[in-house]
Amino acid sequence: MFLRNAWYVVAWDRDVARTLLPLTVLGDRIVLYRTTRGTPVALEDACVHRKLPLSLGRLVDDEVECGYHGLVYDFSGRCTRIPGAKHVPGIAKVRSYPAVSRYGLVWVWMGDPTQADPASIFEVEHWDDPAWGRNSGGSMTVACNYLFITDNLLDPSHVAWIHRTSFGNEACAEEPIQTVSLHNGVVASRWMRDVDVAPFYAPMVSFKGRCDRLQHYEVRYPSHAIIKAVFVPAGEGARQADGQHPQAMIMDSYNFMTPVNENQTIYFWFQLRNFSVNDEDLSKAMDDGVRAAFAEDRVVLEAVNEGFRNKVTPNLDLAIDRAPLTFRKKLAQLIAAENPT
Ligand SMILES: [Fe+2]
């Protein structure tokens, strides 16, 4: 089950052009294209006649022509032409999904169109801030249920084991995690005091020696996350909590997960940083490093998905699962509210 009344990222803006792009989102087959004016359009990918995917047809100006008998649909999903027929019946219509380009991504509203408000799209702080740098980001398909990824992104401790050569080190193994439930999501966070800088970040910090490090893992409903990493010289973490420390190195990692179906998820990400703003080599290194680290997650998450599908004894939840379980419980309530029995 999925939350329908929500925006989901379905593609990079750069990948949506004057072609018909087939996608599956929350189990729905969708065709995505861009109008001549640049607006993204998302339609049900099935002709009303013989249910041939419209993505097998062709784009004619701003309309889609079915590849079987030439029925034509406009951006609202309304059929505007049936070759050989004197008139087009009013019921000749495919579903249209509200679609918006923002932050270099295309977002599609999967629920009741009358509730679609672009103002509710996840806000990316500092997106257009010249004092912050940005890497181009990436995406990958992960063969797991999306909730195993939200689990992962509410679990700061996993970096100690999955990412021991990049995001994590031994310091990340034991420090307790605070969980806070918000109206729109859950935060799992902790400050680690007087620890080594983990390998991925070590070349980036502007100070020498050990650090205080904040891990702020925040996932909002249904499946969008900001992971904030803050590094300051050891002993200075309390000052950074006020946002004051001049040497603070901050990396905001945005993570948007879109379920394809119950066992497959498309994962989109990019990072913003408050240092080396115009350093293209660093942006490239971050893209490469993050992709390699997320590939480490993918191996584990896909195996966990299989483990849960084939389990013969119950799984045991631990104290570190508090944030993921809080998130799952509230999201399940939101989904249930959309599906009254
Ligand atoms: Fe990870």
Side-chain angles (χ1 to χ4, degrees), residues 152-153 155 158-159 162-163 167 217 267 293-294 296-298 301:
N152 177 272
L153 295 175
D155 171 17
H158 83 272
V159 299
I162 296 186
H163 309 304
F167 299 153
Y217 281 43
Y267 182 2
F294 289 178
E296 294 173 330
D297 286 305
R298 175 161 63 176
L301 296 173

Side-chain angles (χ1 to χ4, degrees), residues 70 166 283 298 315-316 331:
S166 57
S283 291
R298 175 161 63 176
N315 76 290
L316 174 67
L331 180 59

